[in-house]
Amino acid sequence: MISVEHNLLHTGLTSVQGPLVFVRNVQDVGLYDRVEVIAPDDSVRAGRVVSIAAQNAVVEIFQGTDGLSLSETRLRFLAEPVQLAVGPGMLGRVYDGVGQPMDGGPPIAAERKLRVDGSAINPVRRDVPREFIETGVSSVDAMNVLVRGQKLPIFSGSGLSHDRLASNIARFAKLRGAKQQDFAIVFAAIGVTFDTAEHFRREMDEFGALQRIALFLNLASDPSAERLLTPRVALTAAEYLAFEEGRHVLVILTDITNYCEALREVSSSHGEIPSRKGYPGYMYSDLATLYERAGRIRGREGSITQVPILTMPNDDITHPVADLSGYITEGQIVLDRDLDRRGVFPPVALLPSLSRLMSKGSGKGMTDEDHPALASQLYSSYAQAQHLKVLSSVVGEEGLSKSDRALLQFGERMENDFLNQGDVRRTLEDTFEIGWRLLAALPNEVLVRLSDQQIEQHLASFRHGG
Amino acid sequence: MNEAEVFWINGPVLKAQPVGSMQMKEAVFVGEQRLAGEVIRLDANSVTVQVFEDTTGLKPGSLVQASGLPLAAELGPGMLGCMFDGIQRPLTGIAQIAGDFFDTGVNVAPLDREHRWEFQPSLKPGAVVNEGQTLGLVPESADMSHRVLIPPGVNGKLEWITDAGDYAIEDTLARVRTREELVDVAMLRRWPIRKTRPCARRLSLQAPLLTGQRAIDTFFPIAKGGAASLPGGFGTGKTVLLQTVAKWSDADVIVYIGCGERGNEMADVLDEFPRLEDPRSGRMLMERTVLIANTSNMPVAAREASIYTGMTIAEYFRDQGFHVALFADSISRWAEALREISGRLEELPAEEGYPAYLPTRLAEFFERSGRVQTLNGTEASLTVVGTVSPPGGDFSEPVTAHTRRYVKSFLALDRARAQARFYPAIHPLQSYSGYLEQTERWWQQRGALQWGAFTKRMLELLEEQARLEKMVKIVGRDALPPSQRLVLVCADIVVQSLLRQSAFSEADRFCSAEKQTEMLKVIELFLQQADRAVQSGVDPDTLTGLPITRRIQRMGEDIGNDNLEALALLMHDIHDVFSELAPSFPEAGDDAA
């Protein structure tokens, strides 16, 4: 037996650089084929072929190259892409960063193996996402509607409460009329601390939702090249759960910034020409292969909704990680340090936040006929208030007109009454009521985005009653 | 057939050792799966190929098969209403074979070989025919007749032409005896996507491409046959604006290219266009639209090819005498695909890693727009509008900067406006149009005599507003004299009433040229009256609180295209309000007509 196995093994490493291994004299090897690497201490690591030149191949090792040697490392080239075994019973389990169960439980009863890179959904087979998800968070439900099949990241900064917001959304989210049974969460920790992952697991446990969650963990201490694989195995599991088992899957990926850093690290090992801030020129396309795996498919039950989290280095929204993500995802929820400092939770910066699918998931038949006008007016007035805040800090409040002062006050109430809700779940109706009430305090002349009828219908009661 | 053996693979790019010769830009098939590819470089002992499909599992030793032909688009009836990928494979056809997800090596012909189209010959045997001449008509839909033309380069005598009847696209419809040979003519044509299709001559631009968007038509027009770019950071509404323009523009045929953008957006277009009606013809929008979708997660080389595929299809319709508009979302993603391939080839980069030939390629692309006299002498046009996605919203980056050199209409989108949900977020001071003069005459011919002067005055007002707002930040609004506060009041009304336009309001999403003309008159009247009122001592800030002001600011949404009398009534009321406000006025009513 042993001798046969040894026949398949390949030696001939010529160089080891960062996460890459260079091998000569390889035969019949395909691009992106899976490779098993047997280290001198007989431990097995996973890798894949990333480029081929004649009989030389470059292999990327997901678990890092520490402890490998040129002469004693053996490789087994498998004529298949990197895959994930999927099957019933994937939920309620904990996996490592390459998709192996690590909770001491039995292996997954593999129904089949799926390529972790996935395949692009044919655009003609996509269904337009339009089912409103009530997240219970006012700044999302009224202002940045999340719909099934959307990818809506949280743009945060180090130390801000993005994890708390994500776990609130996971706990609160519901769609009217859907069975809880259909709902599943896939959580991929990409280079985050054990604490972060454990906290999320505990929250879900307290909520009694642990049986509906699959956790994929690549922690900060795990090899960085593995981070390229973790979101892919997680999304592969999500695709199985959504499109084969018919569940509505919420995928939380945290933290995409760590993923991009791993990408940069591997790219520089390849000696590739860097683009902005040293990140590879193909980072947009690479991120798209993750984010675009969200969606709905015609004629299939399930859906994949993504809430990726990324921490903007130095809170800079023009940083390539945030910038390229923003160009691919369908909006973003931006968190703000000032609001956070003032104790507003969730500290959502309304103006830079956006949901591109807002018009699909809100309005008549979905939420409320006047929802788009309400959101538009809240945005407009809040933007004016922000502008006036700057102005009044220079010229003083006395220099402002009466309507300007009303706007200024509106801006404060927006932050204290509307945004700030702690960990309490708000129904959509409650959120709307707060919104209309705040607008009622403004004079009609600044309510250009509302029709006379809307003013009469929604604001009159607050005005006369108050 | 010539072949080559693969020895080097790096992502979508491979090198192979050829047996026999291959040509630059030749279409090839790679490996057992017959992946589509294109020759992009030739060396003494190797050919470099970019592969338009996923290369996972491809091995050295695989064969590259030459096709002997350049990468070409198939042209003929059956393209309207369809969605293709970057190398023109029909996505519905692929889905029928591969299912909901893409698979490699699925080869489906772009056009249906079986479908039989009704052909009505326009010529008789014996006629002397020239290239570009209409051989016959194929009614594709109720209002759209596809013209089958004599192919470019074919001149001679029509030896034979078939009778009226139903034919498949490969059936021979006619034979032309040229000086050299006998040419069979069918509906199906092939044309290399990277080669500009010929026309008789290029004409100067005259009419605007009406988009139904006031910020464009009134302020920064795009001429029919012109080129425009829409740059903006993420979240500034590029795609929504481009789709809005694609929906409501008065072109005969629309080619919409989703180049490296979101899958859900293409699904949205597919969902929405078949349900929307062209406000002018009453036809469904989908019946005049060809869609090209190469989303961000689809192979990067096919993304690079997608804009050329779209352009060739657009030129094909232009040659039939149609006014065609091509919309590309986004030019930056195309440039990034170019950069990625260039990087894999280890070419020396120029700015920000982009290859040095980026400006040349951009120039070639935008120069394919134009108003032309086709080979058969009819007038037609091809307008090109592309979005640009500058990293970090920085307009000085190479793609934005180079695109700017080749377009005359530059519609800069502004983050601050978008954040206040002010749409379209076109920044009036950063945008410009070089087509103002050409389109001015068009508006004047339609009764808007003061159009050019008025547009200019509006822009001056907005510029003045920007200057004064800087002052307000220092000294406060109250410190300004009434005349300057009036500027701020008026500019705000112009911004709210003309520049703001709701893409989701049924009355406002499309604003007809007539409505735009009337709205301009309303604003003009208001400015005039407000000016007089302030001169006679009225405080300009009282104007903002007037109910009439609110009516003006909301006239776009509250008054539909078919209710222009309401705008006349509004003008009448403006007169009444101001004669009450400043009663000492001499009879202002004289200006009403």
Side-chain angles (χ1 to χ4, degrees):
Chain A
M1 270 312 275
I2 291 165
S3 64
V4 173
E5 202 170 281
H6 268 280
N7 279 343
L8 297 167
L9 292 178
H10 190 93
T11 52
L13 270 64
T14 56
S15 162
V16 179
Q17 285 174 29
L20 304 180
V21 168
F22 296 76
V23 201
R24 62 180 147 77
N25 289 331
V26 295
Q27 300 276 334
D28 208 31
V29 167
L31 191 65
Y32 304 130
D33 275 359
R34 187 162 76 92
V35 181
E36 275 179 7
V37 182
I38 297 133
D41 63 358
D42 287 336
S43 65
V44 180
R45 307 177 195 194
R48 64 171 174 179
V49 177
V50 288
S51 77
I52 309 169
Q55 277 161 27
N56 304 309
V58 183
V59 178
E60 192 174 278
I61 317 283
F62 297 121
Q63 284 99 341
T65 50
D66 291 1
L68 296 189
S69 71
L70 293 185
S71 55
E72 283 170 71
T73 303
R74 291 144 292 163
L75 294 97
R76 182 180 287 125
F77 289 94
L78 299 135
E80 59 177 29
V82 180
Q83 297 177 103
L84 178 74
V86 292
M90 293 204 72
L91 289 173
R93 303 290 306 269
V94 183
Y95 308 83
D96 64 11
V98 293
Q100 300 292 330
M102 58 175 283
D103 50 4
I108 296 301
E111 204 170 65
R112 49 199 280 226
K113 285 175 157 189
L114 297 176
R115 268 181 62 188
V116 298
D117 284 330
S119 295
I121 301 173
N122 189 328
V124 297
R125 299 300 308 153
R126 276 186 187 268
D127 209 350
V128 181
R130 56 171 103 249
E131 291 163 290
F132 176 80
I133 299 176
E134 191 181 288
T135 64
V137 178
S138 295
S139 44
V140 178
D141 289 351
M143 310 295 276
N144 297 289
V145 162
L146 175 68
V147 297
R148 270 187 181 163
Q150 185 174 13
K151 39 196 179 289
L152 186 65
I154 299 175
F155 282 16
S156 185
S158 308
L160 293 182
S161 44
H162 42 265
D163 296 325
R164 187 170 153 205
L165 175 59
S167 76
N168 275 358
I169 290 176
R171 284 191 298 147
F172 294 161
K174 74 174 187 207
L175 185 112
R176 289 155 176 154
K179 283 175 283 173
Q180 282 295 58
Q181 220 57 33
D182 303 338
F183 195 66
I185 295 170
V186 171
F187 182 90
I190 309 162
V192 297
T193 59
F194 172 76
D195 225 32
T196 303
E198 179 57 19
H199 180 77
F200 183 82
R201 201 191 66 82
R202 230 180 17 244
E203 289 252 306
M204 293 300 124
D205 194 11
E206 278 167 25
F207 189 62
L210 216 48
Q211 288 314 306
R212 295 209 305 270
I213 296 185
L215 285 148
F216 291 83
L217 305 181
N218 166 283
L219 302 178
S221 52
D222 290 333
S224 64
E226 190 182 288
R227 285 171 202 154
L228 301 185
L229 206 56
T230 308
R232 295 195 160 82
V233 294
L235 285 164
T236 305
E239 277 170 357
Y240 170 78
L241 293 167
F243 301 130
E244 314 255 326
E245 291 193 345
R247 295 173 202 268
H248 294 289
V249 186
L250 176 69
V251 182
I252 297 173
L253 306 167
T254 180
D255 173 334
I256 293 292
T257 307
N258 295 336
Y259 171 84
C260 292
E261 268 156 20
L263 196 69
R264 175 167 66 178
E265 202 177 316
V266 173
S267 165
S268 89
S269 304
H270 280 290
E272 290 167 345
I273 297 165
S275 170
R276 283 175 74 215
K277 298 213 175 184
Y279 292 98
Y282 50 79
M283 193 155 88
Y284 175 85
S285 303
D286 189 277
L287 284 172
T289 60
L290 302 181
Y291 295 141
E292 279 290 318
R293 289 171 85 170
R296 300 219 54 172
I297 295 178
R298 281 165 201 255
R300 297 212 197 194
E301 269 299 306
S303 64
I304 296 182
T305 309
Q306 283 187 23
V307 179
I309 296 170
L310 61 90
T311 47
M312 301 179 282
N314 206 17
D315 295 351
D316 176 11
I317 200 166
T318 66
H319 185 280
V321 176
D323 194 54
L324 295 177
S325 294
Y327 274 122
I328 307 164
T329 54
E330 281 137 359
Q332 64 277 338
I333 305 291
V334 183
L335 302 191
D336 181 73
R337 208 166 283 280
D338 278 343
L339 289 172
D340 187 63
R341 210 176 285 130
R342 279 161 38 205
V344 173
F345 180 83
V348 175
L350 281 181
L351 296 183
S353 297
L354 167 76
S355 166
R356 294 173 190 270
L357 300 179
M358 177 106 186
S359 62
K360 300 278 167 276
S362 63
K364 201 174 179 177
M366 263 88 62
T367 51
D368 183 87
E369 194 179 350
D370 294 332
H371 181 177
L374 168 68
S376 180
Q377 185 63 59
L378 286 173
Y379 269 116
S380 163
S381 298
Y382 187 66
Q384 264 181 296
Q386 297 295 95
H387 175 74
L388 289 167
K389 208 159 119 185
V390 178
L391 198 63
S392 75
S393 68
V394 183
V395 300
E397 262 192 56
E398 307 76 55
L400 300 178
S401 69
K402 200 175 145 218
S403 68
D404 285 354
R405 281 200 294 273
L407 276 166
L408 209 52
Q409 205 179 14
F410 164 85
E412 272 169 38
R413 292 181 64 192
M414 208 43 204
E415 288 164 11
N416 297 330
D417 300 358
F418 185 86
L419 290 182
N420 190 24
Q421 65 179 95
D423 292 316
V424 179
R425 185 181 197 284
R426 272 194 202 145
T427 65
L428 187 62
E429 287 71 23
D430 289 349
T431 293
F432 282 164
E433 200 194 304
I434 299 171
W436 291 121
R437 195 176 67 221
L438 296 187
L439 287 180
L442 293 174
N444 280 2
E445 64 190 70
V446 301
L447 301 177
V448 178
R449 310 257 178 112
L450 299 181
S451 68
D452 292 345
Q453 198 202 343
Q454 285 161 339
I455 290 177
E456 179 57 32
Q457 191 186 338
H458 297 285
L459 306 188
S461 61
F462 294 111
R463 284 174 172 172
H464 302 312
Chain B
M1 197 67 70
N2 290 326
E3 285 183 341
E5 195 184 307
V6 176
F7 65 87
W8 183 93
I9 311 169
N10 187 343
V13 181
L14 59 84
K15 289 181 185 171
Q17 201 168 9
V19 182
S21 79
M22 287 196 189
Q23 288 171 14
M24 264 307 257
K25 308 292 177 193
E26 183 171 345
V28 296
F29 298 99
V30 180
E32 286 164 17
Q33 287 188 298
R34 290 178 65 77
L35 308 177
E38 181 187 21
V39 177
I40 52 171
R41 182 161 146 181
L42 293 171
D43 294 295
N45 279 316
S46 81
V47 292
T48 306
V49 171
Q50 62 174 351
V51 185
F52 297 123
E53 298 184 63
D54 186 1
T55 48
T56 300
L58 196 66
K59 293 174 180 173
S62 304
L63 285 185
V64 175
Q65 249 178 17
S67 69
L69 296 166
L71 185 67
E74 281 195 357
L75 304 165
M79 293 191 287
L80 294 170
C82 283
M83 189 187 270
F84 301 98
D85 77 353
I87 51 168
Q88 214 203 355
R89 291 179 305 180
L91 293 184
T92 311
I94 291 182
Q96 276 163 6
I97 296 170
D100 297 341
F101 294 89
F102 282 109
D103 203 354
T104 51
V106 179
N107 289 309
V108 190
L111 300 178
D112 189 344
R113 295 292 190 273
E114 309 294 322
H115 188 91
R116 298 182 81 79
W117 298 94
E118 183 194 339
F119 174 72
Q120 303 160 347
S122 319
L123 295 173
K124 293 233 154 50
V128 174
V129 294
N130 288 309
E131 55 176 0
Q133 205 171 334
T134 305
L135 185 71
L137 299 177
V138 174
E140 251 198 276
S141 65
D143 299 280
M144 171 84 186
S145 262
H146 198 102
R147 293 162 174 79
V148 180
L149 308 179
I150 304 286
V154 176
N155 298 294
K157 200 174 136 216
L158 191 63
E159 281 227 338
W160 171 81
I161 184 162
T162 188
D163 296 329
D166 294 348
Y167 299 91
I169 53 170
E170 287 179 307
D171 294 344
T172 302
L173 302 175
R175 282 196 190 91
V176 180
R177 168 76 65 189
T178 68
R179 210 177 293 173
E180 297 84 19
E181 56 182 339
L182 194 60
V183 181
D184 283 357
V185 182
M187 289 179 218
L188 178 67
R189 304 294 160 79
R190 280 199 182 75
W191 190 266
I193 60 168
R194 299 183 196 276
K195 193 174 159 191
T196 308
R197 283 175 65 88
C199 60
R201 65 193 182 96
R202 298 186 54 148
L203 307 169
S204 61
L205 309 183
Q206 284 176 342
L209 177 81
L210 289 179
T211 64
Q213 308 305 304
R214 293 185 290 272
I216 298 177
D217 294 350
T218 298
F219 287 84
F220 307 107
I222 304 168
K224 276 206 174 93
S229 77
L230 271 170
F234 70 80
T236 50
K238 289 182 299 297
T239 301
V240 174
L241 182 56
L242 193 75
Q243 284 188 5
T244 307
V245 173
K247 277 175 206 164
W248 309 122
S249 68
D250 66 340
D252 303 316
V253 175
I254 303 289
V255 177
Y256 189 93
I257 309 168
C259 172
E261 289 287 317
R262 303 175 186 84
N264 279 339
E265 278 166 2
M266 295 316 291
D268 187 28
V269 172
L270 271 184
D271 180 64
E272 206 176 354
F273 276 37
R275 291 187 283 123
L276 290 174
E277 249 178 44
D278 181 347
R280 297 174 197 85
S281 69
R283 282 159 51 197
M284 287 299 162
L285 288 183
M286 203 60 191
E287 289 176 21
R288 61 163 196 184
T289 308
V290 181
L291 298 168
I292 312 273
N294 214 93
T295 56
S296 54
N297 55 341
M298 286 162 71
V300 71
R303 189 198 301 170
E304 192 273 327
S306 66
I307 64 167
Y308 297 104
T309 302
M311 183 60 91
T312 305
I313 292 172
E315 282 177 343
Y316 172 75
F317 282 106
R318 176 205 67 185
D319 290 347
Q320 295 176 41
F322 293 114
H323 292 284
V324 185
L326 177 140
F327 299 96
D329 185 20
S330 122
I331 297 294
S332 296
R333 303 303 162 218
W334 166 82
E336 279 167 9
L338 204 66
R339 173 169 72 182
E340 186 174 338
I341 304 287
S342 166
R344 304 258 186 201
L345 293 174
E346 293 172 3
E347 292 174 337
L348 205 61
E351 297 159 276
E352 299 203 12
Y354 288 104
Y357 46 80
L358 172 72
T360 319
R361 296 281 174 89
L362 279 170
E364 282 167 3
F365 176 73
F366 282 106
E367 265 308 287
R368 287 173 81 166
S369 66
R371 179 170 161 256
V372 303
Q373 194 178 58
T374 63
L375 292 176
N376 65 28
T378 48
E379 186 219 314
S381 69
L382 170 48
T383 313
V384 177
V385 186
T387 62
V388 177
S389 324
D394 169 17
F395 286 0
S396 68
E397 63 90 37
V399 183
T400 317
H402 289 303
T403 303
R404 205 170 175 158
R405 293 163 57 197
Y406 309 115
V407 302
K408 277 176 94 176
S409 191
F410 185 81
L411 303 162
L413 298 183
D414 175 36
R415 183 161 275 168
R417 280 180 169 70
Q419 290 190 346
R421 300 328 191 240
F422 181 99
Y423 294 122
I426 293 175
H427 194 300
L429 302 182
Q430 283 177 13
S431 306
Y432 57 81
S433 166
Y435 302 119
L436 276 170
E437 273 174 42
Q438 284 110 317
T439 46
E440 184 176 353
R441 197 178 314 151
W442 185 91
W443 284 95
Q444 285 171 344
Q445 283 164 359
R446 274 147 194 85
L449 295 175
Q450 298 301 314
W451 187 81
F454 190 70
T455 304
K456 199 158 156 266
R457 207 176 130 209
M458 291 294 102
L459 289 174
E460 280 165 6
L461 186 70
L462 296 172
E463 214 166 307
E464 182 74 0
Q465 176 198 31
R467 195 178 64 84
L468 290 175
E469 270 181 354
K470 277 185 206 144
M471 273 173 64
V472 168
K473 274 189 187 152
I474 302 165
V475 300
R477 192 178 172 115
D478 287 348
L480 297 184
S483 64
Q484 292 191 335
R485 273 184 291 138
L486 177 66
V487 168
L488 290 177
V489 169
C490 291
D492 190 51
I493 288 170
V494 168
V495 167
Q496 292 292 347
S497 59
L498 294 181
L499 287 177
R500 185 173 64 87
Q501 189 169 355
S502 168
F504 303 111
S505 147
E506 205 133 317
D508 204 22
R509 61 189 185 186
F510 166 78
C511 187
S512 68
E514 294 74 24
K515 183 174 161 191
Q516 292 191 42
T517 312
E518 292 305 303
M519 285 175 75
L520 281 183
K521 285 185 191 158
V522 170
I523 294 294
E524 205 171 4
L525 177 68
F526 178 85
L527 297 189
Q528 196 183 66
Q529 296 284 335
D531 200 34
R532 283 192 202 165
V534 170
Q535 275 177 23
S536 71
V538 174
D539 181 0
D541 287 318
T542 57
L543 299 178
T544 46
L546 296 177
I548 193 86
T549 309
R550 190 179 144 78
R551 276 173 66 196
I552 296 172
Q553 287 177 324
R554 288 190 52 84
M555 64 183 165
E557 283 148 289
D558 288 344
I559 301 171
N561 289 305
D562 50 0
N563 190 18
L564 298 183
E565 313 83 66
L567 287 169
L569 182 69
L570 184 58
M571 281 193 263
H572 187 264
D573 292 349
I574 291 173
H575 274 296
D576 285 356
V577 168
F578 276 96
S579 50
E580 216 168 286
L581 205 64
S584 58
F585 257 30
E587 269 305 292
D590 295 346
D591 296 317

